Amino acid sequence: MKKLILVRHAKSDWPEETEDFDRPLADKGLEEAMHMSRFMKNNNVAIDYFVSSPAVRALNTCKIFNQTYQISINTNEKLYNPSESNFESVIYDLDDSHESVAFFSHNNGISNFANSISEDIFHFPTCGVAGFEIDCNSWLEFDGAKKKLLFFYDPGKIK
């Protein structure tokens, strides 16, 4: 069994003269990411590898999560402005030694991808997190594997 955790970046800011890629996290986003990462760790959500969009707001969300988890971070441009097939491409490139992987990405792609692998209907809020159990031993088996939603955390609804 593998676990795939999808994390939408935390609340971002959009200062004038700033390109989309370079948008920073807002103060609320910094707080959301810290709170969510601690909530997940306290609820025994194991993660052994992070893959993030290289966009500033996603990578900074990932780095805040890593203050809690302290694991390896990688970036992949396919997670910036992604289509559903971009997520699958990143999944197929994962090393099978990783049992539980978190992707840090953006809407609408992350919501569309979650909806494509689940019966549940998702719209990720900023810093929303969905965890899936993938019934496979190798990430290469992802497409044909049974997928089960384990949790969906909305930062506005967790304590």
Side-chain angles (χ1 to χ4, degrees), residues 89-104:
S89 174
V90 177
I91 289 167
Y92 294 136
D93 286 343
L94 292 172
D95 189 289
D96 285 333
S97 66
H98 301 303
E99 295 298 318
S100 182
V101 177
F103 286 177
F104 292 78

Side-chain angles (χ1 to χ4, degrees), residues 21-77:
F21 187 90
D22 296 321
R23 290 170 51 200
L25 291 177
D27 290 345
K28 180 181 181 190
L30 297 169
E31 292 170 20
E32 277 177 345
M34 188 62 72
H35 183 63
M36 182 62 78
S37 64
R38 289 179 180 154
F39 174 83
M40 290 172 59
K41 185 85 169 186
N42 290 341
N43 283 279
N44 301 310
V45 177
I47 305 172
D48 58 44
Y49 191 58
F50 288 150
V51 184
S52 178
S53 155
V56 170
R57 60 195 181 277
L59 186 55
N60 284 346
T61 301
C62 181
K63 288 177 177 177
I64 292 169
F65 270 66
N66 206 35
Q67 291 173 11
T68 302
Y69 279 90
Q70 300 184 351
I71 58 176
S72 295
I73 294 177
N74 203 342
T75 59
N76 192 310
E77 291 193 6

Side-chain angles (χ1 to χ4, degrees), residues 10 28 32-33 35-36 124-129 152-159:
K28 180 181 181 190
E32 277 177 345
H35 183 63
M36 182 62 78
F124 278 70
T126 53
C127 213
V129 181
F152 182 71
Y153 299 139
D154 179 330
K157 297 179 180 161
I158 62 171
K159 300 280 184 241

Side-chain angles (χ1 to χ4, degrees), residues 98-118:
H98 301 303
E99 295 298 318
S100 182
V101 177
F103 286 177
F104 292 78
S105 191
H106 310 263
N107 255 350
N108 291 321
I110 199 164
S111 290
N112 292 342
F113 178 66
N115 286 320
S116 77
I117 64 171
S118 175

Side-chain angles (χ1 to χ4, degrees), residues 136-152:
C136 64
N137 295 313
S138 169
W139 291 107
L140 293 173
E141 301 167 352
F142 177 83
D143 190 40
K146 187 172 183 230
K147 299 154 188 82
K148 176 179 145 191
L149 178 68
L150 297 175
F151 57 81
F152 182 71

Side-chain angles (χ1 to χ4, degrees), residues 5-19:
I5 296 156
L6 302 175
V7 184
R8 182 180 174 200
H9 66 78
K11 183 83 176 146
S12 59
D13 211 349
W14 203 327
E16 283 187 49
E17 310 285 322
T18 303
E19 294 293 324

